[in-house]
């Protein structure tokens, strides 16, 4: 599918939906200055092009009993493509890992792991990451507090 060119109205639609994806089509259309039918067509086009991948509920981490965020830096023994693929496939199985980035620099991956407390992280670490073949080292850092968190991209 060819790349979709975003105009100012598409960007306003995206900015509005990033703030409240549960908004009605009528409210969204009014916000961006369209009638509902053309607005709905634009939203469908954004979805079809993969610009809008899915709609989700943003859940409060503390209120569901997972207040601890751990950032784990992973160094692999080798950085060959098959080793990277094996690691990515393995960590995809564990829901505690909510974010994973392949990095440049001294470490290969940066993971964000959510757990209820320190013993839960220790148990997770012992039954998962430390058992993965090819992991050379793991460095963990615990977030003291979350200063900023946003799912919204800065669409101008």
């Amino acid at each position: 599918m060819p790349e979709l060119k975003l105009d100012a109205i598409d960007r306003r639609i995206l900015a509005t939906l990033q703030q409240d994806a549960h908004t009605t089509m009528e409210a969204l259309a009014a916000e961006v200055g369209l009638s509902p039918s053309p607005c709905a067509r634009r939203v469908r086009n954004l979805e079809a092009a993969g610009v809008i991948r899915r709609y989700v509920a943003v859940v409060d981490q503390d209120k569901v009993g997972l207040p601890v965020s751990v950032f784990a830096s992973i160094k692999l023994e080798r950085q060959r493509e098959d080793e990277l693929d094996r690691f990515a496939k393995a960590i995809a199985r564990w829901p505690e890992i909510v974010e994973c980035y392949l990095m440049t620099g001294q470490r290969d991956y940066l993971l964000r792991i959510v757990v209820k407390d320190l013993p839960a992280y220790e148990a997770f670490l012992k039954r998962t990451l430390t058992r993965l073949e090819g992991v050379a080292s793991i460095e963990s850092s615990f977030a003291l507090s979350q200063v900023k968190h946003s799912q919204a991209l800065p669409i101008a």
Side-chain angles (χ1 to χ4, degrees), residues 16 26 32 48 51 62 84 115 124-125 131:
T16 302
E26 292 76 17
V32 302
V51 176
D62 292 332
L84 299 173
V115 291
F124 171 78
L125 193 62
R131 294 183 180 185

Side-chain angles (χ1 to χ4, degrees), residues 20-58:
D20 182 9
H22 199 62
T23 191
T24 66
M25 192 55 64
E26 292 76 17
L28 178 61
E31 178 73 24
V32 302
L34 291 174
S35 60
S37 290
C39 186
R41 187 170 36 258
R42 282 178 177 258
V43 170
R44 281 192 306 272
N45 289 342
L46 291 166
E47 292 167 346
V51 176
I52 298 174
R53 294 190 315 204
R54 62 191 170 130
Y55 298 90
V56 299
V58 178

